[in-house]
């Protein structure tokens, strides 16, 4: 299917605004001194600024960061505000040393009826995390199971600690993954390996996850967050609209066929010549100096 020129132009214009969700905010130029308001107390997460990076820590340790409605609500609120904060380039999402997150909260959902699950479109709102325009780096130690693994797969890059364990154990509970485990996992590690995890409910360790391409690198457990922050600050040193464009264009590979994907990539590439940051980046190379990106 050919994309209409108007569709492509609309998509490239959309790239130039940092939306948390394509439907949740109004257009806002990246240069506006917008945002803030996310560095505050939440019930279930900690939110701190680390230079140009927002560090979000799931903070429900007694329940191994089981993803109750409250955690998801806090995450969506924080990421929505961070998406509008032009001083933040990247989000790092982490949990505790024992658990990134041990899945959706089983106690909270065990008595739900079909009608409740269906009529509230249970878990649909989790998808907002995947729509955040800024890059997200997940720093994963300990268990990333069920919804925890699925939340992790909504991030763009995963750094795993040596003690990390991944799995989709839903089948052991009489259900299937409900937040992308049957879809993103297949795209990440292929059908046979994904089927094995989904059908046996078993786990893989960090080394295996790296071999399978589920995570980008494995580091000593005590350094996971530090390594993720270092990588995130490097990404955040580049032009924010260019990073958002890169993220959206790579993610388009999961939605489009090759011809459409290549066309989309080329059009986005063309659109970046409207940015001062393109002139600055290429000019700095030619003048043999460090570029100073202004996100314009
Ligand atoms: N939901 C609710 N509570 C959870 C939980 C979850 N997913 N995972 C752990 N907890 C709670 C435990 O109930 C326990 O609470 P209490 O102290 O009140 O009993 C506490 O966290 C500590 O857990 P354990 O005592 O079980 O810790 P452990 O070290 O012995 O075992 C574990 C760790 C192997 C991760 C084990 O807790 C476990 O198997 N958890 C459930 C994993 C799971 O099945 N996840 C999938 C959930 S369904 C889902 O996610 C659907 C989806 O697609 C979105």
């Amino acid at each position: 299917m050919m994309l209409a020129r108007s569709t492509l132009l609309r998509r490239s214009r959309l790239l130039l605004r940092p939306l948390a969700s394509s439907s949740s905010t109004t257009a806002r130029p990246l240069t506006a001194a917008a945002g803030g308001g996310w560095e505050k107390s939440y019930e279930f997460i900690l939110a701190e600024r680390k230079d140009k990076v927002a560090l979000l820590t799931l903070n429900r340790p007694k329940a191994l960061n089981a993803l109750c409605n409250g955690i998801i609500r806090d995450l969506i609120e924080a990421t929505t505000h961070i998406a509008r904060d032009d001083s933040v380039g990247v989000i790092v999402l982490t949990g505790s040393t024992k658990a990134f997150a041990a899945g959706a909260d089983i106690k909270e959902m065990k008595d739900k009826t079909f009608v409740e699950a269906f009529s509230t479109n249970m878990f649909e709102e989790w998808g907002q995390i995947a729509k955040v325009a800024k890059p997200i780096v997940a720093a994963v130690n300990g268990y990333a199971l069920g919804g925890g693994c699925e939340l992790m797969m909504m991030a763009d890059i995963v750094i795993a600690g040596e003690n990390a364990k991944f799995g989709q154990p839903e089948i052991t509970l009489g259900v299937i993954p409900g937040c992308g485990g049957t879809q993103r996992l297949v795209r990440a590690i292929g059908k046979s390996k994904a089927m094995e995890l989904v059908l046996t409910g078993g786990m893989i360790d960090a080394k295996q996850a790296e071999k399978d391409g589920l995570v980008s690198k494995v580091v000593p457990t005590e350094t996971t967050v530090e390594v993720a922050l270092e990588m995130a600050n490097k990404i955040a040193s580049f032009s924010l609209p260019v990073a958002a464009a890169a993220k959206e264009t790579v993610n388009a590979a999961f939605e489009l066929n090759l011809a459409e994907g290549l066309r989309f990539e080329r059009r986005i590439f063309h659109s970046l010549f409207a940015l001062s940051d393109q002139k600055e980046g290429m000019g700095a190379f030619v003048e043999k100096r460090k570029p100073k990106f202004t996100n314009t």
Side-chain angles (χ1 to χ4, degrees), residues 60-68 98-99 101-109 122-123 126 143-151 165 167-173 175-182 201 203:
R60 208 186 162 208
K62 283 190 185 146
L64 303 185
N65 291 329
L67 299 164
C68 58
K98 181 162 183 193
D105 191 317
I106 300 165
K107 294 168 189 168
E108 199 176 66
M109 72 181 148
M122 188 161 72
F123 297 148
W126 291 37
Y143 295 109
L145 300 177
C149 189
E150 293 168 305
L151 176 65
K165 285 196 162 58
Q168 297 291 160
E170 288 87 347
I171 199 161
T172 67
L173 301 166
V175 288
I176 67 167
C179 278
T182 66
M203 295 185 209

Side-chain angles (χ1 to χ4, degrees), residues 36 50 54 59 66 79 121 126 136 150 162 184 197 209 233 237 287:
K50 301 280 181 185
N59 188 30
T79 52
N121 207 358
W126 291 37
I136 302 179
E150 293 168 305
E162 280 165 343
R184 291 196 176 94
L197 286 177
N233 266 305
S237 73
E287 290 159 25

Side-chain angles (χ1 to χ4, degrees), residues 71-81 125-126 128-129:
I71 286 201
I72 298 300
R73 178 204 60 216
D74 286 355
L75 264 183
I76 291 172
E77 184 185 335
T79 52
T80 300
H81 285 285
E125 69 278 11
W126 291 37
Q128 294 212 30
I129 312 292

Side-chain angles (χ1 to χ4, degrees), residues 59-247:
N59 188 30
R60 208 186 162 208
K62 283 190 185 146
L64 303 185
N65 291 329
L67 299 164
C68 58
N69 288 331
I71 286 201
I72 298 300
R73 178 204 60 216
D74 286 355
L75 264 183
I76 291 172
E77 184 185 335
T79 52
T80 300
H81 285 285
I82 292 166
R84 296 181 199 141
D85 187 339
D86 301 344
S87 66
V88 174
V90 179
I91 296 169
V92 169
L93 179 60
T94 193
S96 70
T97 307
K98 181 162 183 193
F100 175 73
D105 191 317
I106 300 165
K107 294 168 189 168
E108 199 176 66
M109 72 181 148
K110 75 179 181 44
D111 294 323
K112 279 195 193 299
T113 64
F114 163 75
V115 171
E116 282 166 338
F118 181 78
S119 63
T120 57
N121 207 358
M122 188 161 72
F123 297 148
E124 190 268 340
E125 69 278 11
W126 291 37
Q128 294 212 30
I129 312 292
K131 290 182 186 161
V132 173
K134 295 179 199 239
I136 302 179
V137 180
V140 177
N141 286 326
Y143 295 109
L145 300 177
C149 189
E150 293 168 305
L151 176 65
M152 176 197 91
M153 288 189 286
M154 292 181 202
D156 303 300
I157 300 171
V158 181
I159 308 296
E162 280 165 343
N163 76 340
K165 285 196 162 58
F166 308 86
Q168 297 291 160
E170 288 87 347
I171 199 161
T172 67
L173 301 166
V175 288
I176 67 167
C179 278
T182 66
Q183 303 299 306
R184 291 196 176 94
L185 191 60
V186 181
R187 285 160 170 81
I189 67 175
K191 176 178 166 179
S192 184
K193 286 173 189 292
M195 278 290 190
E196 184 179 336
L197 286 177
V198 170
L199 290 177
T200 67
M203 295 185 209
I204 54 171
D205 64 15
K207 275 216 171 100
Q208 187 64 43
E210 185 186 24
K211 206 168 145 230
D212 294 348
L214 185 59
V215 309
S216 82
K217 63 171 82 175
V218 179
V219 299
T221 301
E222 62 282 4
T223 68
T224 313
V225 175
E226 191 187 315
V227 171
L229 283 172
E230 207 174 296
M231 185 184 285
N233 266 305
K234 177 169 187 172
I235 297 167
S237 73
F238 301 124
S239 168
L240 205 145
V242 175
K247 171 171 173 164

